[in-house]
Amino acid sequence: WKTKDDPSEALFEEIEGEKLLSAATLERLVDEVVSPSQHRILFEFLLTYQSFCKPPTLFNMLVQRFNKSKPEDMAPELWQKAQTLLRFRITIVLKKWIGEFWHDFEDDPNLHKDMENFVKLSIEPVMQKAAVGLTTLMQKMSTGVEVQKTLLDKAPDSILPKKVFPITNVHPLEIARQLAIIEYELYR
């Protein structure tokens, strides 16, 4: 919806053949953060946004984008795809914000309540799984206790050699499974 290289809104630099955002208006920064092509700037944005914007302002900007109406010059089919992608990206931003920067919500009970209401009233009707994930994450962060999750499938049987073995004899799929289990335990 915006001209990607509008110098009045954003400044890009080319570094090692890649075009990178180096400065932008707040509006444009939020647009870039919810853009699928700029997924790499999300953490840096959330880490630094409070130097130029308050948490309720960011929240309201994300809500506005989530509830954005169809531009007049866009075909309905195209808008439906674009809106779905935009909403998906916004839920990713919210998940990262809640999970990594929970203190923004702890420090502001009104923002916490607004987030809960937004998830329940706006996200849940159109993206139920995302709403459940965000609600679960907020509960976990609020209480400091992990909400119990159940695994739907039984883990597959291990693929191990018959006798004592060096690690090079272990099937690569089994090594991948074991590493996944270790990482799951570290990051859950």
Side-chain angles (χ1 to χ4, degrees):
W1 304 288
K2 294 194 182 271
T3 306
K4 285 291 181 192
D5 295 326
D6 184 353
S8 68
E9 291 187 350
L11 210 64
F12 291 88
E13 286 183 38
E14 192 162 323
I15 300 175
E16 297 179 5
E18 190 175 354
K19 205 173 206 181
L20 300 174
L21 181 66
S22 61
T25 62
L26 179 58
E27 290 280 331
R28 182 59 183 267
L29 267 174
V30 173
D31 285 342
E32 293 294 329
V33 164
V34 299
S35 165
S37 63
Q38 291 291 343
H39 60 89
R40 293 181 304 176
I41 69 170
L42 176 56
F43 184 77
E44 289 82 1
F45 174 80
L46 290 172
L47 193 61
T48 61
Y49 82 93
Q50 286 197 29
S51 63
F52 50 84
C53 166
K54 299 284 184 209
T57 304
L58 174 59
F59 175 74
N60 290 330
M61 293 176 85
L62 292 169
V63 168
Q64 287 172 348
R65 279 156 183 75
F66 191 89
N67 295 322
K68 186 175 182 139
S69 57
K70 181 183 95 53
E72 291 179 19
D73 60 340
M74 188 178 275
E77 312 82 47
L78 184 58
W79 170 243
Q80 187 174 9
K81 289 179 184 177
Q83 182 184 44
T84 300
L85 182 59
L86 176 66
R87 286 178 169 177
F88 179 71
R89 285 291 304 160
I90 289 169
T91 60
I92 290 171
V93 171
L94 294 175
K95 181 181 177 189
K96 187 75 160 176
W97 191 12
I98 293 166
E100 300 287 331
F101 302 93
W102 179 246
H103 59 273
D104 291 353
F105 301 93
E106 277 184 320
D107 297 344
D108 187 344
N110 291 331
L111 180 63
H112 186 190
K113 191 69 177 160
D114 289 345
M115 178 66 81
E116 287 176 342
N117 289 335
F118 175 64
V119 169
K120 184 177 174 83
L121 301 174
S122 295
I123 297 176
E124 190 172 325
V126 294
M127 301 176 80
Q128 189 173 12
K129 285 185 180 181
V132 168
L134 290 170
T135 301
T136 301
L137 182 59
M138 285 189 291
Q139 289 173 349
K140 175 184 171 187
M141 300 306 288
S142 291
T143 61
V145 175
E146 185 165 340
V147 178
Q148 185 66 26
K149 296 179 189 173
T150 57
L151 297 175
L152 300 176
D153 298 323
K154 181 184 159 293
D157 293 332
S158 297
I159 306 170
L160 296 174
K162 305 251 186 268
K163 48 187 161 169
V164 178
F165 52 87
I167 189 103
T168 55
N169 289 358
V170 177
H171 194 281
L173 185 58
E174 184 58 28
I175 292 172
R177 285 181 185 152
Q178 295 303 319
L179 289 173
I181 291 169
I182 291 168
E183 285 188 10
Y184 172 78
E185 293 298 323
L186 287 173
Y187 294 105
R188 66 182 177 113

